[in-house]
Structures are given as C-alpha cells and as structure tokens.
Amino acid sequence: MTNLRSGLYNAKLPPAGQRQAFRKGSVPVAVYGLGKMGLPLAAVYASVTGHVVGVDIDDDVVRTINDGECHVAKEPGLPELVSEQVERGALRATTDSVAAAHTASVHVIIVPTPLTDDREPDLAAFEAVLDSIAAGLAPGDVVVVECTVPPGTSSGLVVPHLEANSDVSRGEFGVAFCPERTSSGRALQDITESHPKIVGGVDAESTRVASLIYGEITSNEVIAVSDATTAESVKLFEGVYRDVNIALANELARARDDLGIDVREAIDAANTQPYCNIHTPGPGVGGHCIPWYPYFITSRVSDDMPLLLTAREVNDSMPSFTADTLRDEMADAGRTLDGATVAVLGVTYRPGVAETRATPAAGVIDRLNEHGATVLAVDPMLDDDVVASFGATPVSLSDLSSHTLDAVVVVTPHEEFDHIDWAAFDDLVVVDGRGTLGDIGHSVYTIGGGPRR
Ligand SMILES: NC(=O)c1ccc[n+]([C@@H]2O[C@H](COP(=O)([O-])OP(=O)(O)OC[C@H]3O[C@@H](n4cnc5c(N)ncnc54)[C@H](O)[C@@H]3O)[C@@H](O)[C@H]2O)c1
Ligand SMILES: CC(=O)N[C@@H]1[C@@H](OP(=O)(O)OP(=O)(O)OC[C@H]2O[C@@H](n3ccc(=O)[nH]c3=O)[C@H](O)[C@@H]2O)O[C@H](CO)[C@@H](O)[C@@H]1O
C-alpha cells in the first residue's frame, strides 16, 4: 500500500504513486450534497477510491443511503451502484459535515446554489459547507467545487473563506472548479464517460491535482483550462448558450400563426446545416440550471448583457403564452376557458426528473387560473401536496378519465402519458407544449407546430 502521509496537494509521491494512493483509498474523499447530482457522483468516487463519506443535511437521505438504498428516482444503474458501494464499505453517509471534513483529503462540493428572490446567486448552502471544510482542512487537502457558482467564486470566496477559518494557508491546500456536466436520467454515464471533464484550479498545483483525480473518474478527456474562473465561466457559458437558443426557438414559435407554417418542421430542416442548432420550442424553461445561470453572470458583470436578459424574458413568457394559446383555441371552437375544466399533464420541469424548481407548469397553472379555469394536474413523480402547492387540484393518472374535461395542456410529457386513453374523453381542446402527441382524435395545437383539427 502506498503510504500518503497527507493529501495530494504538494504531495511528495510521484504522480503514478499519487494515482495509486487515490485508487487504493489512501486519499479519503468527502462529497457534500447527496441529491440528484451528488449521490451519483459520490457513488462513482466510491467505486474508484473505495473510501468516500457522503454528507447531507437531510437525515432521511443519509439513512436511506446507509441502508444501501437510493432516493434518486429514474437514474439507471444508480440503485445498484449505491447498494454495491455501501455493501463493500466504500460509501457511507453522515450529517456530521465537520467529522467528514476531518477525515477527508479531497472535499467535493455539490450542494444547491439557487437564486435569491432578487435574482442574486444564493450561496448560503455552499458557504455552510465551506465552514465545515474549514473546520477539518489540513495541508495537502484539495477542495473540488462541482456545483455551479458565479465567476470568481473559487479564487475570490473559497480560498479566503477557508484560509480565514482554518489553520491552513493558501499554497498549502488546493481549490479547483470542476463543473458537473450531468443530466438527470443519465448521471452515471455523464460522470464517467459522456463529456470531457473541465478542470480549473486557483493555482497550477490545484489544476494538476484536479486533473489527476478526474483522470481516474472519467474515461473521457480531462481538459485543464487556465484557472478556476475560466472553468466557472465555461459552465455558465454552456448554460446561457442553451437558454438563448431555446429563447430563439420560442420566439420563432410565437410567430407560428403569423407565418402560417409548422415552425418545428422549419427548425428541423434549418438544423440540417452544420452551423445551425436551433433548439426546441416549448411551454417554458425550468430546472435549477438553465433559467438561473444567466443571473450568475449578470450579477458579476457591469455591462448590461441585453441578450441574456431578453432571452430570459422570452422563455419566461412561454407559460402564459401557452395558457393564452389554449384560451384562443377554445374561442376558435366557440368555447370559453372561463369555467372550463382543464388538466395540466406534467408539473416537473422535464420528463423523468422529480424536480419542480422554476417549472413552467407553475406559470401555466397560474395563467389558467387567471382565465377562470378549474385546473387539475397530473404528475406521476410528485406527491399530491406538491402538485396542490402550484394551485391545481392533483389527480392521479388512473383517475383522470373519471373527470369531465374541456381541455388539456401537456407541459411535461412523462412517459406514463403515452398510455392515456384519449378516446375516453369527448371533444377536448388540447395544447401540446412539447410536440409529443400524435393524432389523438381531438383538436391539438402544438406550441410551434400549430393547429391540427
Ligand atoms: N440537477 C441538474 O441537472 C444539475 C445540472 C447542473 C448543475 N447542477 C448543480 O448541482 C447542484 C445540485 O443539484 P442537485 O440536482 O443534486 O440538487 P438536489 O436538490 O437534488 O440535491 C441537493 C442535495 O444537497 C443537500 N444539501 C443542501 N444543503 C446542504 C448542505 N449545507 N450540506 C450538505 N448537503 C446539503 C440537500 O439535502 C439535497 O440532498 C445544483 O444546484 C447545480 O449547481 C445540477
Ligand atoms: C450539467 C448540467 O448543467 N446539465 C444541465 C442539464 O439541464 P437540465 O437538466 O436543466 O435540462 P435541460 O435539458 O437543459 O432543460 C432545461 C429546461 O429547458 C427546456 N428545454 C430544453 C431544451 C430545449 O431545446 N427546449 C426547452 O424548452 C426543458 O424542458 C427544461 O424545462 O442537462 C442539459 C442537457 O440536457 C445541460 O445542457 C444542462 O447544462
């Protein structure tokens, strides 16, 4: 067994020895945050190093994991990997973040970094983790930030925060930003192989150590960029690229009736050019990534950045546009939304992910309520109280056909909706937000696609 007296940062061992020590469990790892992103990451680290302590503030999460169970739904391979790693003693979970920090030499942070109500990055959870790490920080440790943070956070917040709250000085510990490029539903694949891993350290030694670590975690390339701020910006640039391009698709979709074409068809045809990658229109942009990342940049930049903010306005207009489209389609059918019973299908922000942060369904339900509709909502991934919190009456998918519906809005097409018996309903007016419905025997208007009577 290679003996590594301290961590990898400024380690005296040659790189090959450091890699061996990392893989043999001589470099204990703590992963702070065991949610949709953190648990897969902790499980992969455990499969590589055999020595991971996961930290979460949620007792139920910790208990579930220590029972060898997996609380993250619809993540292929994750339940088996968690069970295997807990069984072999490679992964354990705790709420004691300070104790975990004392044992670990690699500290991986992947906790929520949401927005405040005035659209400023909310780093409260992140800084709470820094406090715990500082309490257990030792020379040779390295802190890996995987959760999305504003540019300049690693060098401007993490390093001084740890130095001020520990007995360790900068230059004795490493900090690197190594953004997770993971999509729910394919997390293990994304962590271990799908994309190159970006790493950027606050100094060259931090970058070196991060590159060594992720050279063991992923089979894909590890791309070391100039510094941590560059890596932080890479993550945000990916996200704002997506938000702006979705906004382009949505703005074109709003013009569908004036153009008199199927905008989705035109987008698909335009995208046959290699330089064209127009995204897909829909009822809005949700999740705690894409709709929030623009504000991580604008909050740190003095320039106005009108493109990012205009794209946000366009995407944030889509839930109301979707509900107003239903109102107009009802009117075209000589009917009114006022007093109508409407079922919203899908409340999570995208199919197969039990996440409602910034979900477009919230705006759709609000607007339908404003129009006087009686709003029901179906989401097989959510408890009734969560659905009800959005101002809709929760209905199970099995009970849906027992209701007399006037209209349906498909916001998030969970795969369970593929089996709806549409013949059980009479004369529905349907707005399909995601273009997943075929000919269902009812009047359907697809956002971007237009009407199909
Ligand atoms: N979900 C995604 O698709 C996605 C994509 C890109 C980036 N991210 C980044 O990853 C972060 C985490 O995402 P997620 O989907 O895993 O969130 P999540 O809500 O599924 O899980 C977050 C976990 O962190 C725990 N937690 C909160 N505060 C904590 C603290 N102080 N110490 C320890 N644990 C704490 C929570 O209890 C929860 O279990 C996001 O905020 C974002 O920055 C997520
Ligand atoms: C590591 C990481 O950060 N991963 C993120 C994660 O993002 P995510 O889980 O938040 O999911 P997204 O797919 O980005 O969707 C967000 C919302 O935008 C809507 N949307 C999407 C595309 C489109 O053409 N039209 C739309 O309307 C969709 O319905 C949903 O509401 O995975 C993405 C790759 O899947 C990554 O790019 C993204 O960085």
Side-chain angles (χ1 to χ4, degrees), residues 41-282:
L41 187 63
V44 169
Y45 261 97
S47 68
V48 171
T49 70
H51 195 162
V52 173
V53 55
V55 178
D56 206 288
I57 57 173
D58 186 325
D59 289 322
D60 291 337
V61 166
V62 167
R63 187 182 311 112
T64 301
I65 293 167
N66 286 333
D67 289 344
E69 303 295 319
C70 174
H71 68 286
V72 177
K74 298 198 174 185
E75 208 53 85
L78 185 59
E80 297 80 2
L81 187 61
V82 170
S83 170
E84 176 191 347
Q85 298 309 316
V86 170
E87 175 70 28
R88 78 179 186 113
L91 173 64
R92 65 179 178 86
T94 180
T95 56
D96 188 342
S97 52
V98 172
H102 276 289
T103 63
S105 299
V106 174
H107 307 270
V108 183
I109 311 176
I110 186 156
V111 295
T113 50
L115 281 184
T116 64
D117 291 343
D118 52 20
R119 291 179 170 156
E120 285 290 325
D122 176 356
L123 301 184
F126 182 75
E127 291 186 72
V129 173
L130 292 182
D131 290 340
S132 299
I133 294 172
L137 195 68
D141 283 8
V142 66
V143 176
V144 172
V145 179
E146 282 240 357
C147 52
T148 308
V149 292
T153 298
S154 297
S155 56
L157 169 65
V158 177
V159 171
H161 190 110
L162 294 176
E163 191 174 39
N165 294 283
S166 73
D167 298 330
V168 192
S169 302
R170 66 186 65 198
E172 293 182 302
F173 67 91
V175 176
F177 185 73
C178 309
E180 52 85 28
R181 302 172 113 180
T182 310
S183 294
S184 291
R186 38 174 299 147
L188 295 182
Q189 186 184 347
D190 286 352
I191 292 166
T192 60
E193 64 181 44
S194 303
H195 315 297
K197 185 72 176 181
I198 305 297
V199 301
V202 296
D203 53 32
E205 177 63 3
S206 298
T207 301
R208 182 195 70 78
V209 172
S211 298
L212 181 143
I213 288 171
Y214 282 97
E216 303 303 313
I217 295 292
T218 178
S219 61
N220 206 310
E221 187 187 357
V222 176
I223 299 174
V225 295
S226 300
D227 54 31
T229 305
T230 302
E232 291 159 348
S233 302
V234 167
K235 176 63 187 170
L236 293 171
F237 287 10
E238 290 171 15
V240 297
Y241 169 85
R242 194 162 177 80
D243 198 45
V244 167
N245 278 279
I246 296 167
L248 172 58
N250 284 331
E251 185 152 77
L252 295 173
R254 292 178 67 105
R256 184 263 148 224
D257 291 349
D258 290 344
L259 294 170
I261 64 166
D262 179 337
V263 165
R264 288 171 176 262
E265 176 194 4
I267 286 172
D268 289 345
N271 286 345
T272 56
Q273 273 283 12
Y275 56 74
C276 188
N277 181 26
I278 304 170
H279 286 27
T280 307

Side-chain angles (χ1 to χ4, degrees), residues 283 343-351 355-356 359-362 364-365 376-382 387 390 395 397 408-414 417 420:
V344 168
L345 301 188
V347 176
T348 64
Y349 81 98
R350 73 177 170 91
E355 175 66 70
T356 60
T359 180
V364 171
I365 293 167
L376 314 180
V378 183
D379 195 302
M381 296 196 81
L382 299 176
V387 173
F390 288 98
V395 172
L397 188 53
V408 167
V409 179
V410 180
V411 174
T412 303
H414 291 297
F417 299 153
I420 289 175

Side-chain angles (χ1 to χ4, degrees), residues 279-453:
H279 286 27
T280 307
V285 174
H288 49 66
C289 303
I290 304 307
W292 292 356
Y293 289 167
Y295 302 110
F296 279 43
I297 295 180
T298 58
S299 65
R300 295 293 189 275
V301 170
S302 56
D303 199 32
D304 284 345
M305 308 196 88
L307 178 60
L308 298 192
L309 296 176
T310 303
R312 286 279 74 240
E313 283 173 27
V314 171
N315 288 334
D316 282 348
S317 77
M318 294 311 288
S320 293
F321 176 79
T322 300
D324 292 352
T325 296
L326 180 65
R327 173 202 59 201
D328 299 343
E329 287 297 295
M330 296 277 286
D332 287 352
R335 299 159 71 176
T336 175
L337 201 43
D338 190 6
T341 300
V342 183
V344 168
L345 301 188
V347 176
T348 64
Y349 81 98
R350 73 177 170 91
V353 184
E355 175 66 70
T356 60
R357 289 182 180 111
T359 180
V364 171
I365 293 167
D366 285 349
R367 189 67 161 199
L368 290 172
N369 281 319
E370 284 171 22
H371 287 314
T374 296
V375 187
L376 314 180
V378 183
D379 195 302
M381 296 196 81
L382 299 176
D383 294 336
D384 284 354
D385 60 325
V386 173
V387 173
S389 71
F390 288 98
T393 301
V395 172
S396 68
L397 188 53
S398 54
D399 285 349
L400 186 62
S401 57
S402 68
H403 292 266
T404 303
L405 301 179
D406 297 294
V408 167
V409 179
V410 180
V411 174
T412 303
H414 291 297
E415 61 186 1
E416 291 85 348
F417 299 153
D418 293 348
H419 311 296
I420 289 175
D421 176 13
W422 293 99
F425 303 98
D426 296 326
D427 198 19
L428 287 176
V429 177
V430 177
V431 170
D432 178 5
R434 294 287 172 195
T436 55
L437 296 180
D439 181 356
I440 57 171
H442 298 278
S443 162
V444 177
Y445 184 105
T446 301
I447 298 296
R452 181 174 60 240
R453 306 279 187 245

